[in-house]
Amino acid sequence: MPKSKIAGIGKYLPENVVTNNDLLKYMETSDAWIQERTGIQERRYAHRTEETTTTMAVEAAKVAIERAGITTDDVDFIIFATLSPDYYFPGCGVLVQRAMKMKEIGALDIRNQCSGFLYALSVGDQFIRSGMYKNILVIGSEKHSFGLDFTTRGRNVSVIFGDGAGAVILQPTEKEDQGILSTHLHSDGESAEILAMFNPGTHANHWKEEKMASFDDAEIGKMFFSHKMIDDEQIYPTMDGPAVFKKAVVKFPEVIMEALNANNLMPKDINLLIPHQANLRIAQFVQHTLKLRDDQVYNNIQQYGNTTAASVPIALCEAWEKGLVKEGDVVCLAAFGSGFTWASALIKW
Ligand code: UT7
């Protein structure tokens, strides 16, 4: 059974750099607070009307496809991870298929937030291993800046997130000692509401406090999304940051060790760990727990903030472009976030 390898990788970051100080015009915060608590110095925001989650994904995909030495015609499956899709439905996968004028290939959308890219990578890996596909385009892309609460009320969330996209091409490899060694996926829905965006949605929570009976049947279609939800400012992502932090620093090392144990490897064998860029303090905690040297961990949250599903492929791409990922290296990818869902992948480059 062939393993899959990352044959090409690309990233796209919007031009617009937004510093911590730039955020002061919207909310009460400070460069010192943001840097101290998160490590973030600046992030990128997509052009408000000209760039979308899909257009950024297409730019990253073009680079990945070129670096893999193939053309868009060769791509036989798309897997797209995002929590900020262009439309509620259809997903961004088909929008990439259309924008890149690809054949009538399958397009799958993944909704796993911060661990979305690793879930997507794992699904792609299984399709390659089974022999079903030969060139899979796996994308993580986010346009967070369009849907954040930029008032002081939402500052614990809005200062963290940034926009961008990363993409890889997965191909089979016959080389014994190369490719994705294993992937590990987990979830625990107990805390689903701790990091979530509730509206629009079909949960109807908003209406439970209202008198449902008084709701005119003719108006039922408006329950999905209403002026009241906007007026009550219930349309933004919300997060209990400390609760997420506490769980993340346990689950990150756990899922990394799971990947290492599955391959009879130890932390010292990792050439480069790319943790999801949630918070520099989380990454440092994980590094400390696993006793990894600085040169074994790659972080770029300082420049790009937390780009959710895009953070792992952007960081991996940047590390590769800097020559930090070489043939034969053991690369570990790991992520934790909303759901909670978490995941890891171990790759022999
Ligand atoms: O990628 C998705 C997964 N997400 C994560 O992994 C995020 C995990 N959590 C975190 O990264 C951190 O919890 C945060 C960075 C979100 C927050 O840092 P914290 O050290 O946990 O702060 P906190 O939420 O406990 O808030 C401490 C104080 C509060 O003020 P009081 O109540 O002590 O007076 C907040 O109101 O900091 C205040 N605060 C801010 N102050 C200035 C919250 N956000 C800000 C802000 N600027 N942006």
Side-chain angles (χ1 to χ4, degrees):
M1 197 161 55
K3 287 202 287 292
S4 49
K5 66 171 181 186
I6 292 178
I9 183 159
K11 69 178 189 331
Y12 176 80
L13 279 313
E15 272 175 27
N16 182 20
V17 176
V18 177
T19 65
N20 293 341
N21 283 329
D22 289 336
L23 297 175
L24 296 180
K25 59 177 175 253
Y26 309 114
M27 63 189 83
E28 282 172 33
T29 186
S30 67
D31 178 48
W33 190 96
I34 300 171
Q35 287 212 45
E36 198 181 298
R37 306 284 175 131
T38 71
I40 299 167
Q41 294 164 12
E42 58 191 38
R43 74 287 291 141
R44 305 290 179 95
Y45 284 174
H47 187 282
R48 284 187 192 169
T49 53
E50 301 306 312
E51 289 183 314
T52 70
T53 297
T54 299
T55 68
M56 292 189 288
V58 167
E59 294 309 314
K62 281 182 195 164
V63 179
I65 288 169
E66 197 199 323
R67 285 177 174 164
I70 61 168
T71 71
T72 48
D73 274 350
D74 298 314
V75 174
D76 44 19
F77 196 57
I78 302 165
I79 312 180
F80 200 124
T82 186
L83 66 66
S84 50
D86 294 28
Y87 304 134
Y88 189 82
F89 73 84
C92 292
V94 297
L95 302 182
V96 166
Q97 184 273 341
R98 177 176 68 185
M100 301 192 83
K101 298 184 172 49
M102 288 169 168
K103 292 183 284 192
E104 293 176 351
I105 55 173
L108 172 69
D109 288 88
I110 302 255
R111 298 189 43 161
N112 280 68
Q113 298 69 252
C114 303
S115 62
F117 181 79
L118 288 182
Y119 268 73
L121 196 75
S122 180
V123 171
D125 183 38
Q126 312 315 314
F127 276 128
I128 296 279
R129 282 173 187 260
S130 74
M132 186 147 168
Y133 296 123
K134 299 267 177 289
N135 288 291
I136 301 181
L137 173 60
V138 182
I139 300 170
S141 180
E142 305 283 1
K143 184 179 174 181
H144 284 306
S145 59
F146 221 57
L148 296 173
D149 180 355
F150 282 103
T151 68
T152 298
R153 209 183 52 115
R155 65 185 177 176
N156 71 320
V157 174
S158 50
V159 300
I160 296 176
F161 292 101
D163 302 340
V168 302
I169 291 290
L170 284 185
Q171 283 178 355
T173 175
E174 296 300 336
K175 283 194 192 164
E176 194 58 36
D177 201 23
Q178 185 192 44
I180 296 178
L181 303 177
S182 61
T183 56
H184 307 269
L185 310 178
H186 293 282
S187 75
D188 176 2
E190 258 326 294
S191 308
E193 283 76 19
I194 276 183
L195 173 47
M197 181 173 142
F198 300 109
N199 295 307
T202 58
H203 52 79
N205 288 346
H206 199 69
W207 302 109
K208 284 178 188 154
E209 64 216 53
E210 305 281 310
K211 282 201 187 100
M212 282 289 286
S214 71
F215 212 90
D216 185 345
D217 274 356
E219 300 266 9
I220 199 163
K222 291 184 183 160
M223 292 176 77
F224 184 59
F225 201 49
S226 71
H227 288 290
K228 190 170 184 326
M229 284 172 196
I230 299 171
D231 294 343
D232 291 353
E233 300 191 325
Q234 294 197 348
I235 54 166
Y236 299 114
T238 59
M239 171 169 74
D240 177 347
V244 179
F245 196 107
K246 276 183 209 140
K247 193 86 170 179
V249 294
V250 174
K251 292 301 172 187
F252 262 108
E254 205 175 279
V255 78
I256 292 167
M257 284 312 298
E258 182 183 351
L260 290 170
N261 290 337
N263 294 281
N264 296 317
L265 294 171
M266 311 229 286
K268 68 174 175 52
D269 299 316
I270 296 176
N271 294 97
L272 201 61
L273 167 68
I274 309 238
H276 161 54
Q277 299 294 290
N279 180 325
L280 190 61
R281 306 294 159 244
I282 294 177
Q284 288 168 335
F285 202 97
V286 173
Q287 175 179 345
H288 181 77
T289 306
L290 297 174
K291 299 186 173 52
L292 297 171
R293 300 181 309 272
D294 285 352
D295 65 285
Q296 285 178 288
V297 187
Y298 191 78
N299 292 302
N300 61 6
I301 190 170
Q302 300 92 325
Q303 273 69 52
Y304 306 132
N306 178 343
T307 56
T308 309
S311 96
V312 169
I314 288 173
L316 179 60
C317 182
E318 193 170 84
W320 179 84
E321 286 169 352
K322 286 180 176 172
L324 300 175
V325 180
K326 299 173 293 299
E327 197 171 328
D329 280 355
V330 173
V331 179
C332 184
L333 312 178
F336 175 89
S338 161
F340 294 129
T341 65
W342 61 101
S344 63
L346 207 60
I347 305 172
K348 190 86 186 274
W349 202 266

